[in-house]
Amino acid sequence: MNCRKVNSKLADLLLDPQSVSAELRRHVEECVECGRELAELRATMGLLDDWAAPEPNPFFDAKLLSRLRSEEQARPVGLWERWKARLIYGSSLRMQPLMAGALGIVVLIGGGTYADLSWQSHHSADESAAVRDLQSLDGNAQVFQQLDSVDQSASQDDQDSGPASPSSN
Ligand SMILES: [Zn+2]
């Protein structure tokens, strides 16, 4: 058995030692060259195993949890700031009903304010109508007073003019 043929079987020897012949194993034990090849291959395979399945950091979970907790504590306190943060960072699925509720409240308040305003405007319209009636009545009284004064002054003119009245022409 030559070294070249043994080299092609070294991987089999490492992965499944029972699959290679006792003659090949004996050669590897005796041949310095093939023994060194086997050691190098074993080291390479060990590195590949380490690389393919790296050990997770044992503190990973603890670090992640503490980070999440600090982020939770660092969250802004104000209601609007919290809403803004949720808008930016939160999931839209949770935000949508919240926003719908907020919009509903806004519509309720806005609608109520509008209704109140419209009622007030109706009310003030009634008031202004009454005031207008009163003002027109007052104006009528003034008109009557003016008519009276005109009448009086006309009669006075008639008395003053005496014989020089236009009726004599
Ligand atoms: Zn050899």
Coordinates of all heavy atoms in Angstrom, one line a residue, residues 1-4 6-7 27-28 30-35 37, ligand 1:
M1 N 0.9 -1.2 0.0 CA 0.0 0.0 0.0 C 0.9 1.2 0.0 O 1.7 1.4 0.9 CB -0.9 0.0 1.2 CG -1.8 1.2 1.3 SD -3.1 1.0 2.5 CE -4.3 0.1 1.5
N2 N 0.7 2.1 -1.0 CA 1.6 3.3 -1.1 C 0.9 4.5 -0.4 O -0.3 4.5 -0.1 CB 1.9 3.6 -2.5 CG 0.7 3.9 -3.4 OD1 -0.3 4.5 -2.9 ND2 0.7 3.4 -4.6
C3 N 1.8 5.5 -0.1 CA 1.3 6.7 0.7 C 0.2 7.4 0.0 O -0.7 8.0 0.6 CB 2.5 7.6 0.9 SG 3.7 6.9 2.0
R4 N 0.2 7.5 -1.4 CA -0.8 8.2 -2.1 C -2.1 7.6 -1.9 O -3.1 8.4 -1.7 CB -0.4 8.1 -3.6 CG -1.2 9.1 -4.5 CD -0.7 9.2 -5.9 NE -1.5 10.0 -6.7 CZ -1.0 10.5 -7.8 NH1 0.2 10.2 -8.2 NH2 -1.8 11.2 -8.6
V6 N -3.1 5.8 0.6 CA -3.5 6.1 2.0 C -4.0 7.5 2.2 O -5.0 7.7 3.0 CB -2.3 5.8 2.9 CG1 -2.5 6.2 4.4 CG2 -1.9 4.3 2.9
N7 N -3.3 8.4 1.6 CA -3.8 9.8 1.7 C -5.2 10.0 1.3 O -5.9 10.8 1.9 CB -2.9 10.7 0.8 CG -1.8 11.3 1.7 OD1 -1.9 11.6 2.8 ND2 -0.6 11.6 1.0
H27 N -0.4 1.1 8.2 CA 0.5 2.0 7.4 C 0.6 3.4 8.0 O 1.7 3.9 8.2 CB 0.0 2.1 6.0 CG 0.9 3.0 5.1 ND1 1.9 2.6 4.3 CD2 0.8 4.4 5.0 CE1 2.5 3.6 3.8 NE2 1.9 4.7 4.1
V28 N -0.6 3.9 8.4 CA -0.6 5.3 8.9 C 0.2 5.3 10.3 O 0.9 6.3 10.6 CB -2.0 5.8 9.1 CG1 -2.1 7.1 9.9 CG2 -2.7 6.0 7.8
E30 N 2.7 3.4 11.0 CA 4.1 3.2 10.8 C 4.8 4.3 10.0 O 5.9 4.7 10.3 CB 4.3 1.8 10.1 CG 4.0 0.7 11.0 CD 4.0 -0.7 10.3 OE1 4.1 -0.7 9.1 OE2 3.7 -1.7 11.0
C31 N 4.0 4.8 9.0 CA 4.6 5.8 8.1 C 4.5 7.2 8.7 O 3.5 7.7 9.1 CB 3.8 5.8 6.8 SG 4.4 7.1 5.6
V32 N 5.7 7.8 8.8 CA 5.8 9.1 9.5 C 5.0 10.2 8.6 O 4.3 11.0 9.1 CB 7.3 9.6 9.6 CG1 7.4 11.0 10.2 CG2 8.0 8.6 10.5
E33 N 5.2 10.1 7.3 CA 4.6 11.0 6.3 C 3.1 11.0 6.5 O 2.4 12.0 6.6 CB 5.0 10.7 4.9 CG 4.8 11.8 3.9 CD 5.8 13.0 4.1 OE1 6.9 12.7 4.6 OE2 5.4 14.1 3.8
C34 N 2.5 9.8 6.4 CA 1.1 9.6 6.4 C 0.5 9.9 7.8 O -0.6 10.5 8.0 CB 0.7 8.2 6.1 SG 0.9 7.8 4.3
G35 N 1.3 9.6 8.9 CA 0.9 10.0 10.2 C 0.8 11.5 10.4 O -0.2 12.0 11.0
E37 N 0.3 13.6 7.9 CA -0.9 14.0 7.1 C -2.2 13.9 7.9 O -3.1 14.7 7.9 CB -1.0 13.2 5.8 CG 0.0 13.6 4.8 CD -0.4 14.9 4.1 OE1 -1.7 15.1 4.0 OE2 0.4 15.7 3.6
Ligands
ZN1 ZN 2.7 6.7 4.0

